[in-house]
Amino acid sequence: MIRLENVSKRYGNGHYGVIDVNLEIHRGEFLFLVGPSGAGKSSLIRMLYREEVPTAGEIFLDEFRLSQLRRNQVSRLRRQLGVVFQDVKLLTNRTVFQNVAFAMEVVGAKSHEIQKRVPQVLDLVGLSRKRNNFPHQLSGGEQQRVGIARALVNNPVYVIADEPTGNLDPDTAFEIIKLLNEINRRGATIIMATHARDIVNQMHKRVVAVENGRIVRDEARGAYGYES
Ligand code: ADP
Ligand code: ADP
């Protein structure tokens, strides 16, 4: 379970990303984080994968206290989390296979584990035939599927995605959501910040809305709730 207790994030310039947020996310959930630009979605997401730490309050993720991780806990935490970015961030001089393998190398996986596991996730995202392609030889949707394969390769409990369909056309975006839904069905918890109104409205998942750094709505089977 992920639990945010009275979490605030104040940046160096005095701006607040989020203010006094309380939130519980249970294993197996699929949660959309919505709200206008500047509401605090990315601030919240970045604290979940410990890119940033709260300036007040605490985030608990299973056995971890995120603001007080000991060094040897950081790599254990990284194995529990898969992160998907809007701009994917693939290594341009490495193939699809090598990009996904790299995520296992950085957490110290053994070569034989990598050779066994990478083909499994490439198969899951439908990219087995493109394993030797370089990123520039892929469409935008395919690049994001590599991003998802990379996020999944260490079998994370939590998959955290910040606008993963933001650069994709509507049909491709729905393909990516179907994939995330399948991953959720197989047991992963999905937390996704998004402006994709049609997707949120069709999925009937939990919706948490953030405005001005605060949670203003939390619905079990929610809708997007904004005009655009
Ligand atoms: P969203 O993801 O919903 O668009 P953000 O979390 O990016 O919202 O931003 C929330 C608030 O925090 C905004 O006022 C934004 O200007 C501020 N903010 C975000 N990141 C930073 C940063 N690195 N430094 C200073 N202020 C920031
Ligand atoms: P989309 O229809 O999503 O826009 P593209 O037209 O970019 O996709 O690509 C269609 C297919 O051609 C994709 O499967 C992609 O992998 C392949 N492809 C595109 N560009 C290249 C390239 N430079 N080298 C090899 N394969 C490519």
Side-chain angles (χ1 to χ4, degrees), residues 195-218:
H195 284 111
R197 178 170 176 268
D198 293 344
I199 286 173
V200 175
N201 286 340
Q202 286 193 35
M203 296 291 288
H204 306 291
K205 301 293 189 185
R206 183 174 175 192
V207 175
V208 171
V210 183
E211 293 178 19
N212 298 318
R214 298 178 193 271
I215 292 176
V216 295
R217 178 159 60 93
D218 185 349

Side-chain angles (χ1 to χ4, degrees), residues 130 133 136-142 169 172:
K130 307 243 159 146
N133 284 34
H136 74 272
Q137 298 171 318
L138 303 175
S139 69
E142 289 170 335
D169 64 75
T172 310

Side-chain angles (χ1 to χ4, degrees), residues 5-221:
E5 284 186 357
N6 305 109
V7 168
S8 295
K9 175 68 187 179
R10 185 179 187 272
Y11 291 104
N13 60 3
H15 285 198
Y16 279 87
V18 299
I19 304 167
D20 201 23
V21 164
N22 289 285
L23 181 66
E24 282 189 2
I25 303 167
H26 295 272
R27 282 192 176 209
E29 281 197 284
F30 192 131
L31 183 153
F32 287 119
L33 195 60
V34 304
S37 279
K41 303 180 295 296
S42 296
S43 296
L44 208 158
I45 290 270
R46 289 197 298 262
M47 288 189 285
L48 293 182
Y49 64 89
R50 208 177 171 273
E51 175 70 18
E52 280 162 11
V53 290
T55 44
E58 182 60 275
I59 300 177
F60 300 89
L61 188 149
D62 294 341
E63 71 270 33
F64 303 103
R65 282 172 89 96
L66 293 197
S67 67
Q68 295 174 25
L69 284 187
R70 275 171 280 122
R71 183 182 275 201
N72 66 356
Q73 291 181 305
V74 175
S75 70
R76 278 206 293 131
L77 175 74
R78 295 239 161 96
R79 285 171 179 261
Q80 304 271 47
L81 297 179
V83 185
V84 182
F85 303 96
Q86 174 170 2
D87 60 350
V88 195
K89 301 183 200 286
L90 298 178
L91 301 167
T92 55
N93 57 351
R94 293 187 189 224
T95 64
V96 167
F97 187 100
Q98 290 166 340
N99 265 278
V100 177
F102 186 69
M104 292 187 76
E105 290 162 12
V106 297
V107 298
K110 296 199 172 66
S111 173
H112 72 271
E113 293 170 338
I114 294 173
Q115 295 303 321
K116 179 157 179 268
R117 175 65 181 159
V118 174
Q120 291 174 348
V121 276
L122 289 180
D123 185 46
L124 174 66
V125 302
L127 283 179
S128 297
R129 285 169 47 239
K130 307 243 159 146
R131 55 182 279 164
N132 294 322
N133 284 34
F134 287 90
H136 74 272
Q137 298 171 318
L138 303 175
S139 69
E142 289 170 335
Q143 290 183 23
Q144 191 52 287
R145 282 192 272 149
V146 180
I148 290 173
R150 181 184 55 191
L152 292 180
V153 75
N154 293 319
N155 248 318
V157 178
Y158 301 99
V159 175
I160 296 166
D162 197 353
E163 299 256 13
T165 64
N167 293 333
L168 305 176
D169 64 75
D171 288 346
T172 310
F174 262 103
E175 294 298 316
I176 294 297
I177 290 300
K178 276 192 252 168
L179 183 55
L180 290 174
N181 201 34
E182 170 63 18
I183 291 158
N184 176 244
R185 222 182 43 79
R186 294 178 183 216
T189 309
I190 314 278
I191 301 155
M192 169 173 162
T194 187
H195 284 111
R197 178 170 176 268
D198 293 344
I199 286 173
V200 175
N201 286 340
Q202 286 193 35
M203 296 291 288
H204 306 291
K205 301 293 189 185
R206 183 174 175 192
V207 175
V208 171
V210 183
E211 293 178 19
N212 298 318
R214 298 178 193 271
I215 292 176
V216 295
R217 178 159 60 93
D218 185 349
E219 298 169 333
R221 286 170 58 81

